Amino acid sequence: MDRTVVLITGCSSGIGLHLALRLASDPSQSFKVYATLRDLRAQGPLWEAARARGCPPGSLETLQLDVRDADSVAAARARVTEGRVDVLVCNAGRGLLGPLEVHTAGAVGSVLDVNVTGTVRTLQAFLPDMKRRRSGRILVTGSMGGLMGLPFNAVYCASKFAIEGLCESLAVLLPPFGVHVSLIECGPVRTAFLEKQEGVPGGALDGADAETRVLFSCYQRHLERIFREAAQDPEEVTEVFLAALRAPRPALRYFSTESFLPLAHLRLADPSGCSYVAAMHRAVFADEPAEEETASDRGDPGLCAPPGAPQ
């Protein structure tokens, strides 16, 4: 029986590493996993964990793949000995935290290059063969930051909003080719993602005004509380990927947690955006639970109010 060939980007740590291990060690032994890394010098933890999990021989291989480099992506594709990829997992990503005005052009470009252009490069490399074979699954690591704007994550959210549009557009187009696209929408996950972000504020924060620095401190406390109380383990998230991979009729979106869905629904319930802005502002900067209320309900002159109906 032919095994399902899976190629995953961004496997040096976090979700990518754990998903590669989960599939390679699956009791069905039905997966051949190509775990790709930008720098193969970082593959040690993956192989150490694979030995600990008892991954069968031949179930896991590592490849160098840098989504920022089209030649690197093409070289990785050429090294897939089966000559096909049945499931492509676009997981490589990068964050950028802090006030927008202190980000360097290089940091902004790096995040957009990895998160958006890098995903496009990867899809361009593997999608044509899937369409020719009229078979394939594409799983993309999404984020709550692609469904709603988060303070001090403007560029990261912009990149993830772009991924939502990219995947939704492809999901409409590709079913006649037998290719299905699914986003795995993740909330906070206990990985090294935060530590690996571009532009983690240090001295650069000095370039922001005093009030913004105070608000950023509030946001940091909020983020710490969210990760302490609501963050998921990567193993839990990988099961959502597996469910999407195995679904007979895969959905466009799967959610690793329902904790942020009320806010996502709030964005849709009030198209003006005012209800969401008021609720998120209160949740982050007053550190109170977000409730379905509008700025006009709270009488906050600093936040927007929905426009009145036309007369």
Side-chain angles (χ1 to χ4, degrees):
M1 181 182 71
D2 286 343
R3 292 180 295 177
T4 300
V5 179
V6 184
L7 186 141
I8 309 169
T9 66
C11 292
S12 62
S13 63
I15 292 172
L17 181 149
H18 285 86
L19 181 59
L21 294 172
R22 172 66 179 85
L23 296 177
S25 64
D26 190 75
S28 69
Q29 297 190 26
S30 59
F31 298 105
K32 168 64 177 294
V33 180
Y34 288 91
T36 76
L37 307 87
R38 178 175 58 85
D39 185 351
L40 287 178
R41 290 176 296 182
Q43 66 182 312
L46 174 63
W47 284 115
E48 183 178 344
R51 287 189 290 271
R53 291 279 291 262
C55 294
S59 64
L60 178 66
E61 289 189 30
T62 56
L63 297 176
Q64 193 278 333
L65 189 157
D66 185 347
V67 299
R68 301 171 300 177
D69 182 348
D71 290 338
S72 172
V73 178
R77 181 190 60 198
R79 293 185 61 193
V80 175
T81 57
E82 290 80 4
R84 73 179 196 282
V85 169
D86 301 306
V87 180
L88 173 66
V89 182
C90 296
N91 172 71
R94 184 166 290 178
L96 181 61
L97 181 66
L100 180 66
E101 59 269 30
V102 307
H103 296 328
T104 66
V108 172
S110 178
V111 169
L112 296 178
D113 193 18
V114 172
N115 294 3
V116 183
T117 315
T119 301
V120 170
R121 287 189 193 99
T122 307
L123 290 170
Q124 287 176 325
F126 292 95
L127 182 56
D129 182 64
M130 289 183 172
K131 292 171 73 175
R132 279 193 295 270
R133 292 187 294 108
R134 309 190 82 79
S135 176
R137 297 282 178 102
I138 298 168
L139 307 183
V140 180
T141 303
S143 168
M144 62 180 292
L147 300 172
M148 60 190 75
L150 306 174
F152 296 110
N153 284 272
V155 174
Y156 174 72
C157 287
S159 73
K160 286 300 188 178
F161 268 71
I163 290 300
E164 294 289 323
L166 174 70
C167 292
E168 191 165 296
S169 298
L170 291 174
V172 174
L173 171 67
L174 293 176
F177 295 93
V179 179
H180 299 277
V181 179
S182 296
L183 283 151
I184 314 302
E185 310 287 12
C186 301
V189 183
R190 294 185 184 93
T191 69
F193 182 77
L194 288 178
E195 289 75 17
K196 292 184 175 182
Q197 293 190 101
E198 289 280 343
V200 175
L205 195 58
D206 295 338
D209 60 88
E211 186 173 358
T212 297
R213 293 199 298 271
V214 170
L215 290 171
F216 185 72
S217 295
C218 291
Y219 174 74
Q220 285 181 306
R221 291 193 295 272
H222 169 79
L223 192 64
E224 290 169 0
R225 181 178 65 80
I226 291 297
F227 268 84
R228 185 172 61 250
E229 297 177 0
Q232 295 178 281
D233 290 323
E235 292 85 356
E236 184 179 354
V237 177
T238 61
E239 294 304 316
V240 183
F241 279 83
L242 198 62
L245 189 158
R246 286 176 164 163
R249 299 177 63 186
L252 171 58
R253 291 183 178 89
Y254 292 82
F255 297 90
S256 71
T257 174
E258 296 184 354
S259 62
F260 59 86
L261 286 182
L263 281 169
H265 290 314
L266 188 59
R267 289 186 71 247
L268 299 176
D270 175 12
S272 77
C274 293
S275 298
Y276 171 76
V277 168
M280 179 57 83
H281 182 89
R282 185 180 182 203
V284 174
F285 298 117
D287 211 22
E288 298 176 14
E291 298 175 359
E292 293 194 9
E293 61 180 3
T294 67
S296 57
D297 292 335
R298 295 184 57 220
D300 189 336
L303 299 175
C304 70
Q311 299 298 317

